[in-house]
Amino acid sequence: MKRLLEELEKHACDAYVAYDSSDDADMRYLSGFLASDPYIYVFSKDGASTLIVSSMEETRARYESACSIVTRISAGLPELLKKYPDPELAAAHMIRNFAGPRLLIPPSMPVGFARKLTEVAEVIIDSGTIGGIRSIKTEDEIEKIRYVQKKNEIATRAAVDAIRKSEPDDRGILMLEDAPLTSERVRDIIHFALRPFNCEDIDTIVSCGEASSMPHARGTGPLYANQPIVMDVFPRSELTGYFADMTRTVSKGVPSDEIVRMYDAVQKAKELAVSMIRPGVTGASVYSAVVEFFRENGYETAGSSGFTHSLGHGVGLEIHEAPSLSPSGGELKVGHVITLEPGLYYQGVGGVRLEDMGVVTSDGFDSFTCFEEKLVL
């Protein structure tokens, strides 16, 4: 936590204070404690980490978290509630009494509570120190993400196999076991393949044909032969909280020549990006090289057509976190777990996206993704 200590010293603060549930990635990372109700994390300038929790959570917090545990009762909240009937104002006074009069808080702190805190203490809003710390993954974190990616590939394999086994009817609709194969049905296949591994899928994309020209369209209804099917699967482990991320584009039968050419260009763009990844290179420079590659190959980006999103992003306790491979992407460092996901999208034609995930090493890019790239099934 050296960087957080430096921030406290820089701003002459007594402590860093966060107030949220473990749904907030920074809170889960700092506390190691899972709770759907908000609790308080305090990191003092002497380097001590403490959780202030309700009495009912005390025993569980001691079991789950490496932080020191203090209950609201022992922190004086009941007496403060007698003086300050507003529960949030009383809690703000409790924090001030426990942590000190000058506090560093995360930008994600609920604004209502942050305002109460400013009534009783000097408050400095942090610039995102914890997100920066989280972006550099430990070996343990890397193994947790690798694990989820392996399960991601098992689930995606089940989906691809279903598409491969399907056959088109006279309307071109893919049929499997005498029923239309739909986006919803493929998502269910992915969902049930992930469940035995305690992994959950949220907002999985299975988009076909025209819908595939919209990068984040989830997809709905029947899948069709000879059309691009974009599957973007990003499950999270319910046990560790870590995500994985992968995208593949397939077609049952040969799609249009335009899609075939787009697929080839996207594949080569990803290979170019992989070749450039190393410590010290900026995400912006890798992104720009891919944009230029597409332009040189006749794929200009204009409005909602072409390469319309960033090249990649960090993955961890959030599916999108630092660093970024975009026009504003900063320096890549050893330990950054990132995606590389070039794509091309054209209305009336469809879309193609391929996405791998891996870690930046001293030697380059160590890919976690072992799933083949094959357009035509």
Side-chain angles (χ1 to χ4, degrees):
M1 301 298 285
K2 180 181 177 182
R3 286 182 59 187
L4 191 51
L5 284 170
E6 290 172 349
E7 286 299 305
L8 290 175
E9 183 177 358
K10 173 183 173 182
H11 297 289
C13 288
D14 299 295
Y16 174 92
V17 174
Y19 172 76
D20 215 323
S21 73
S22 59
D23 289 339
D24 178 80
D26 286 354
M27 198 69 163
R28 181 168 186 169
Y29 182 84
L30 291 167
S31 71
F33 178 57
L34 300 184
S36 55
D37 292 325
Y39 55 97
I40 297 161
Y41 171 85
V42 179
F43 181 78
S44 66
K45 62 184 179 183
D46 63 5
S49 295
T50 304
L51 300 187
I52 303 177
V53 301
S54 66
S55 296
M56 67 177 288
E57 296 284 27
E58 179 184 7
T59 302
R60 190 169 69 87
R62 293 187 189 281
Y63 178 78
E64 292 185 5
S65 178
C67 301
S68 298
I69 307 300
V70 172
T71 66
R72 296 170 187 168
I73 292 174
S74 60
L77 185 59
E79 292 303 313
L80 288 166
L81 283 168
K82 294 176 184 177
K83 187 175 181 181
Y84 306 102
D86 179 344
E88 289 197 335
L89 183 58
H93 277 281
M94 176 187 68
I95 290 171
R96 184 195 187 283
N97 294 344
F98 184 88
R102 187 173 171 86
L103 306 173
L104 187 67
I105 67 170
S108 60
M109 180 179 282
V111 64
F113 188 77
R115 284 174 176 166
K116 296 294 181 183
L117 208 52
T118 62
E119 294 180 23
V120 303
E122 291 185 76
V123 171
I124 306 295
I125 299 176
D126 183 48
S127 60
T129 301
I130 305 304
I133 294 171
R134 284 200 296 113
S135 73
I136 305 294
K137 304 300 187 289
T138 65
E139 285 301 318
D140 179 62
E141 289 179 292
I142 288 169
E143 287 309 306
K144 288 173 179 175
I145 298 170
R146 282 187 190 272
Y147 173 85
V148 182
Q149 177 55 26
K150 288 178 182 177
K151 307 314 173 189
N152 189 3
E153 294 185 17
I154 290 172
T156 303
R157 168 69 58 210
V160 169
D161 286 347
I163 297 169
R164 181 181 289 111
K165 292 174 184 175
S166 68
E167 293 294 339
D169 66 9
D170 54 8
R171 299 164 296 174
I173 294 175
L174 298 182
M175 303 292 291
L176 183 66
E177 298 172 349
D178 299 322
L181 187 60
T182 63
S183 295
E184 293 84 355
R185 194 174 170 192
V186 173
R187 275 196 288 271
D188 283 344
I189 291 170
I190 291 168
H191 174 80
F192 286 109
L194 289 167
R195 291 310 304 151
F197 308 111
N198 293 304
C199 291
E200 58 179 349
D201 55 313
I202 303 171
D203 294 331
T204 296
I205 291 170
V206 182
S207 61
C208 180
E210 182 66 22
S212 68
S213 68
M214 298 176 282
H216 280 174
R218 290 192 71 209
T220 185
L223 304 180
Y224 287 84
N226 310 117
Q227 294 286 336
I229 302 169
V230 175
M231 293 184 293
D232 190 345
V233 189
F234 38 99
R236 178 176 68 174
S237 167
E238 293 178 332
L239 301 179
T240 69
Y242 285 90
F243 281 89
D245 199 0
M246 179 176 72
T247 304
R248 288 296 183 263
T249 301
V250 298
S251 174
K252 175 64 176 183
V254 180
S256 68
D257 290 343
E258 292 94 333
I259 290 295
V260 172
R261 286 193 294 270
M262 286 163 58
Y263 190 94
D264 181 66
V266 168
Q267 209 169 34
K268 287 175 178 167
K270 184 162 67 65
E271 291 171 359
L272 171 62
V274 168
S275 73
M276 294 181 65
I277 300 299
R278 62 183 183 277
V281 169
T282 65
S285 65
V286 185
Y287 167 84
S288 296
V290 167
V291 170
E292 184 59 28
F293 170 82
F294 280 139
R295 183 179 295 117
E296 290 174 354
N297 283 273
Y299 295 107
E300 291 282 349
T301 295
S304 59
S305 295
F307 178 39
T308 60
H309 51 70
S310 70
L311 176 63
H313 53 85
V315 177
L317 289 172
E318 295 177 289
I319 187 58
H320 295 109
E321 59 180 47
S324 170
L325 286 88
S326 67
S328 60
E331 181 180 324
L332 299 179
K333 299 178 181 179
V334 171
H336 277 159
V337 172
I338 60 173
T339 66
L340 298 172
E341 51 176 319
L344 291 170
Y345 313 91
Y346 295 95
Q347 292 182 8
V349 177
V352 172
R353 181 163 71 254
L354 297 170
E355 178 183 28
D356 290 353
M357 178 184 64
V359 62
V360 179
T361 70
S362 58
D363 299 321
F365 183 68
D366 177 12
S367 179
F368 301 167
T369 309
C370 301
F371 202 90
E372 77 275 3
E373 294 173 12
K374 185 177 180 181
L375 174 60
V376 180
L377 302 179

